[in-house]
Amino acid sequence: MLITQTNIEKKSLRESSDSVSDRFPFRTACTNIQDYPCHSFPWHWHEEAELLYVVEGKLMVKIPENELILSKGDIIFLPSNTLHSTQAVDDYPGVHMEYIFLPLFIGGFWNSILMQKYVLPLVQHDSKYIFIQNGAANSLQLQTLLTNIFSLAKDEPAHYEFHIHHQLEAVWILLFDEANSQANAGLINHANQDRLYKMLEFIQNHYGEEISLDDIAGAASISTRECNRCFKNSLHTTTMEYLSEYRIKQACTLLIGSGYSITEIGQSCGFSSASYFAKRFREMTGVTPKEYRAQKTDLYE
């Protein structure tokens, strides 16, 4: 089935899905960001390209050095290996369709003229994200194509694989034309991304331990000053604040999906005391860990 639930691999920042095969490297999903722990999806990356299409409410898409708010009808294209995260905007629902696929799905093979002329310019190392607002030229056509693709993946009518591939090629042609417009495209700083990959992966693998700013900076072989500059300029937060927020998000997941006590969860997520865990949790979510568990348990029962 091509409609899947995405997740982040435990030992890296790669987004993955067990349901996707190299035989047909495409998947899609329709989700509401409000349903995720802390109403956000963490920083991650994947080798596939990605399209996000907001169908209800608002959604914040974060890319290093940029934060974009998408409203209903807005679409954003993220090239391969782009570090990104998504987050709710206030109490708005953030219902969005996502389409994730390998560049080879469009280009066929690396030396083809399709790959060299039309695909690589949109996904190679110096590529750009493309933001298409609702009402802009080609936006209605893109919305129709993306809606059709999702329906094909959901219903799986006869020859649906061919139809998905054909319509995604039509999407790609429109994106290729949009990429030439500087008003709709933005450069991605891949040098900063490479450093962030290493530091964020270190945090993900060691957040339950006692780690310092020196430890995080060392993961990317840079100074603590450069580490803080990288986090501040790219993620709009300090290094240690990001670490604290990441720990809280992991705690949210455990509060919903495990039977561990609140004290055990705080300790496993790297908080030295139950009182400090409760204080930081309330600052970020507006409720105590106990209240959060009770609210979410009632919601999913």
Side-chain angles (χ1 to χ4, degrees):
M1 191 167 178
L2 301 180
I3 297 182
T4 65
Q5 183 68 28
T6 56
N7 57 81
I8 302 298
E9 291 179 359
K10 186 175 182 181
K11 293 300 182 182
S12 74
L13 291 173
R14 287 180 182 267
E15 183 180 304
S16 66
S17 172
D18 295 335
S19 302
V20 176
S21 163
D22 289 339
R23 296 171 60 195
F24 196 76
F26 166 89
R27 59 187 167 94
T28 183
C30 184
T31 56
N32 186 346
I33 195 65
Q34 295 283 0
D35 293 337
Y36 285 101
C38 300
H39 312 307
S40 64
F41 200 70
W43 287 96
H44 63 285
W45 64 281
H46 39 74
E47 60 181 324
E48 300 95 341
E50 179 170 1
L51 278 157
L52 288 173
Y53 167 33
V54 177
V55 296
E56 183 183 353
K58 296 177 182 289
L59 180 72
M60 178 180 288
V61 178
K62 295 184 177 182
I63 307 164
E65 302 178 24
N66 272 291
E67 294 182 353
L68 302 164
I69 294 180
L70 278 63
S71 299
K72 181 178 179 180
D74 292 347
I75 297 165
I76 190 168
F77 169 75
L78 302 175
S80 303
N81 300 313
T82 299
L83 192 65
H84 61 286
S85 70
T86 51
Q87 180 179 313
V89 178
D90 299 325
D91 293 327
Y92 288 100
V95 182
H96 60 286
M97 295 178 180
E98 55 187 59
Y99 307 80
I100 299 173
F101 51 93
L102 287 173
L104 281 171
F105 189 58
I106 302 294
F109 55 95
W110 287 108
N111 292 327
S112 73
I113 191 169
L114 295 177
M115 179 65 73
Q116 297 296 320
K117 185 175 180 179
Y118 298 106
V119 177
L120 287 182
L122 267 64
V123 299
Q124 59 194 2
H125 197 66
D126 58 349
S127 54
K128 304 174 181 180
Y129 69 84
I130 303 169
F131 180 32
I132 302 166
Q133 290 184 295
N134 187 27
N138 297 324
S139 64
L140 180 59
Q141 191 174 354
L142 279 167
Q143 291 166 9
T144 301
L145 287 166
L146 292 174
T147 301
N148 290 344
I149 290 170
F150 184 84
S151 296
L152 287 164
K154 179 176 180 290
D155 299 334
E156 297 187 358
H159 321 304
Y160 70 93
E161 297 95 340
F162 271 119
H163 293 305
I164 288 174
H165 190 269
H166 175 68
Q167 299 212 28
L168 195 58
E169 285 179 324
V171 168
W172 196 267
I173 291 170
L174 294 172
L175 290 174
F176 184 83
D177 291 339
E178 283 288 340
N180 295 321
S181 170
Q182 291 300 314
N184 294 325
L187 287 171
I188 295 170
N189 189 330
H190 286 274
N192 268 350
Q193 280 203 163
D194 291 343
R195 291 173 169 179
L196 284 167
Y197 288 155
K198 296 173 182 177
M199 292 187 288
L200 297 185
E201 185 173 2
F202 178 84
I203 289 172
Q204 181 159 346
N205 291 337
H206 299 280
Y207 71 90
E209 306 166 17
E210 185 177 343
I211 57 177
S212 67
L213 180 61
D214 283 327
D215 296 327
I216 297 169
S221 302
I222 59 177
S223 68
T224 55
R225 180 178 180 181
E226 183 63 15
C227 171
N228 273 327
R229 188 200 67 80
C230 193
F231 271 81
K232 195 68 177 176
N233 289 348
S234 296
L235 306 189
H236 310 288
T237 188
T238 67
T239 309
M240 301 312 287
E241 185 64 21
Y242 175 87
L243 171 62
S244 182
E245 290 178 0
Y246 185 85
R247 286 169 164 165
I248 293 295
K249 289 177 181 179
Q250 299 311 302
C252 286
T253 301
L254 290 172
L255 285 166
I256 299 171
S258 80
Y260 295 123
S261 70
I262 291 173
T263 299
E264 288 172 331
I265 289 172
Q267 291 174 344
S268 70
C269 291
F271 291 96
S272 57
S273 71
S275 60
Y276 183 62
F277 171 49
K279 177 177 181 293
R280 293 296 288 138
F281 193 95
R282 188 176 192 119
E283 287 174 351
M284 184 170 174
T285 67
V287 295
T288 66
K290 183 178 180 180
E291 291 169 338
Y292 183 88
R293 171 173 266 177
Q295 290 174 2
K296 297 300 181 180
T297 300
D298 291 341
L299 181 63
Y300 291 111
E301 281 184 343

